[in-house]
Amino acid sequence: MAMVSSCPNCGSLPRKDERLCPSCGWDFVARKRTTNPEVDVPAARGFDIPPARNLNEPTARGVPAPPRSYNILVVEDDEEYQELARTLLNEYVLVICPSVEEARAAMQKKSFDLILLDINFAGTSGFELIDQLKSQGLTETIPVIMCSGMTSPATRAASMERGAAGFLVKPYDGPAMQKMVKALLPPK
C-alpha cells in the first residue's frame, strides 16, 4: 500500500501502512469510506485517537511545516460528484457528507472555510441547510456554493437569496469550480 500523507476525507494523519483512517474509516486502498460494520475502526468504538499534528508548528528540525490547508465541507449524495470534487479540489482538506444530516454532525465537530452544497437530496434539500446556516449568521463567515443540475434562473436566485456566495451548475466545469472556490476562500 502506498503511504498516504493525510486522509482525503477528514484530514487525519494515518499511521504507517494503515489501510483505514482511524478517525473516519476511509479506506485508502478502495478510495472510499468503508460501510462494512464489521470493519474495526477505533474511532467508531469510542477509542481516543491521537490528534493530528498541528501543521502550523515548527517540526523537530526547526523547519516550519507547510501552511494549514483550507477545510471544505462537500455535501453531495452522488458518488460520481463526490469523486469529481476530490479530484478537482485535491489541494484542500475535504470532508464529504452524503446527506444534510451528516453535514450538520460534521459541522458540530469541525470548522470549515467553505461549503459546497448540493440542492437535491432524498427527503430533504440543501436549501434547508443553508436556511439554518443563514439563521445562525454563518453564511456571513462561511461561503456556501450551491450546486444543482437545475439550471433555471429561479433556482439560482433562490440560492442567492438564501445567502449563497456562489452557484455551480452540474455537471461541473472544473476550471470554473476551482476558480470560484479559490476566489471565495478567506485569506490565510
Side-chain angles (χ1 to χ4, degrees):
M1 182 180 90
M3 183 61 186
V4 178
S5 60
S6 67
C7 175
N9 187 51
C10 72
S12 294
L13 298 174
R15 293 179 190 94
K16 184 177 181 183
D17 295 329
E18 276 188 321
R19 178 183 172 138
L20 298 177
C21 174
S23 298
C24 70
W26 178 265
D27 187 325
F28 296 110
V29 175
R31 296 188 54 193
K32 65 180 182 177
R33 189 169 183 193
T34 183
T35 55
N36 184 348
E38 295 179 17
V39 174
D40 185 26
V41 179
R45 293 183 286 130
F47 283 85
D48 289 332
I49 305 298
R53 139 179 109 81
N54 182 346
L55 295 178
N56 291 324
E57 292 179 4
T59 61
R61 295 183 187 152
V63 177
R68 179 175 94 61
S69 183
Y70 290 98
N71 294 317
I72 297 178
L73 176 63
V74 178
V75 190
E76 173 61 65
D77 58 347
D78 186 309
E79 289 183 8
E80 289 182 26
Y81 283 110
Q82 291 173 3
E83 190 60 36
L84 186 58
R86 277 188 200 95
T87 301
L88 294 172
L89 304 175
N90 64 359
E91 64 190 275
Y92 308 110
V93 176
L94 301 183
V95 174
I96 298 180
C97 295
S99 70
V100 169
E101 294 76 24
E102 286 187 42
R104 286 184 179 124
M107 293 179 72
Q108 296 296 319
K109 297 175 187 173
K110 188 172 188 169
S111 62
F112 294 96
D113 300 300
L114 185 135
I115 300 171
L116 194 63
L117 178 60
D118 187 19
I119 292 177
N120 296 317
F121 292 92
T124 188
S125 135
F127 285 141
E128 289 179 26
L129 181 58
I130 196 169
D131 288 344
Q132 176 188 358
L133 296 173
K134 185 175 182 180
S135 72
Q136 296 170 346
L138 294 176
T139 55
E140 301 295 321
T141 57
I142 305 170
V144 178
I145 300 174
M146 300 296 288
C147 308
S148 179
M150 298 183 294
T151 59
S152 73
T155 303
R156 183 182 301 262
S159 298
M160 298 313 212
E161 287 170 9
R162 287 177 153 92
F167 185 87
L168 288 171
V169 175
K170 292 180 180 178
Y172 300 133
D173 172 356
M177 176 191 207
Q178 292 167 325
K179 184 177 180 181
M180 182 180 292
V181 166
K182 192 172 193 168
L184 291 174
L185 284 169
K188 290 277 180 187

